[in-house]
Amino acid sequence: MHPPSGPAWLVWLETSGLGETMRRSAWMYPIVEIVHIVGFVILVGAVVMFDLRVLGLGRGLPVTALARHLLRWSWVGLTLVVPAGLMMFTAHATEFATNPAFLLKLALLATAAVNVAFFHMVPYRSVGAWNVAAEAPGTARVAAVLSIVVWIAVITCGRLIAYF
């Protein structure tokens, strides 16, 4: 095993107590990785279920009621994903910082965040007109398709990190 090299803050993270523990413990990294995966299942599951409703599946369900219900689950997933992801990053910070799959995953996460902001600032403002039974506006449907595609790509990149 070679000593980490790269920007000082990445080396500091990787050589921190947490980074060392994540690498040296037989169980810590796998447990944290499982928490990360479970968090993604909850987060992406909630997001995709909502996106499918926006795309027209389950039109009998009010969009706003489904949003209220699934938003809680999204936050649960996020509270698992973010700390677990940061913990895994500390274990290999200098490697991840140059890993194309990891960097693409970060860019896709930023894209997902922008898409969510757009959805809530533009098409969701008129949700009263399409809350039940009506077809969502084109901008909402495009945002929903983009969301599904981006989240699948995020998961794919997460899996590919180990191979780059």
Side-chain angles (χ1 to χ4, degrees):
M1 179 103 194
H2 62 86
S5 64
W9 72 276
L10 292 173
V11 172
W12 176 82
L13 269 178
E14 200 167 307
T15 58
S16 69
L18 178 59
E20 293 286 338
T21 301
M22 287 293 292
R23 278 190 314 283
R24 291 186 179 169
S25 169
W27 290 101
M28 185 72 147
Y29 199 97
I31 289 169
V32 171
E33 190 171 30
I34 289 166
V35 169
H36 193 65
I37 291 166
V38 169
F40 260 112
V41 167
I42 294 168
L43 171 63
V44 177
V47 169
V48 170
M49 293 306 295
F50 182 76
D51 291 339
L52 291 174
R53 171 56 190 93
V54 170
L55 292 172
L57 276 72
R59 283 204 180 140
L61 295 169
V63 173
T64 54
L66 193 59
R68 271 192 310 276
H69 176 70
L70 293 176
L71 185 60
R72 287 182 229 143
W73 289 107
S74 296
W75 283 109
V76 168
L78 235 116
T79 60
L80 296 173
V81 167
V82 171
L86 291 172
M87 289 174 74
M88 290 188 300
F89 181 75
T90 63
H92 306 287
T94 58
E95 293 173 42
F96 283 2
T98 59
N99 184 306
F102 178 77
L103 296 174
L104 181 55
K105 180 179 177 180
L106 292 182
L108 289 164
L109 288 169
T111 302
V114 169
N115 190 47
V116 167
F118 168 80
F119 178 82
H120 284 281
M121 288 194 281
V122 180
Y124 195 72
R125 287 191 176 201
S126 67
V127 71
W130 49 278
N131 192 31
V132 180
E135 186 172 284
T139 53
R141 293 192 316 273
V142 167
V145 169
L146 179 62
S147 172
I148 292 168
V149 169
V150 166
W151 283 112
I152 290 170
V154 166
I155 292 167
T156 301
C157 286
R159 192 62 208 116
L160 292 175
I161 289 170
Y163 300 99
F164 283 92

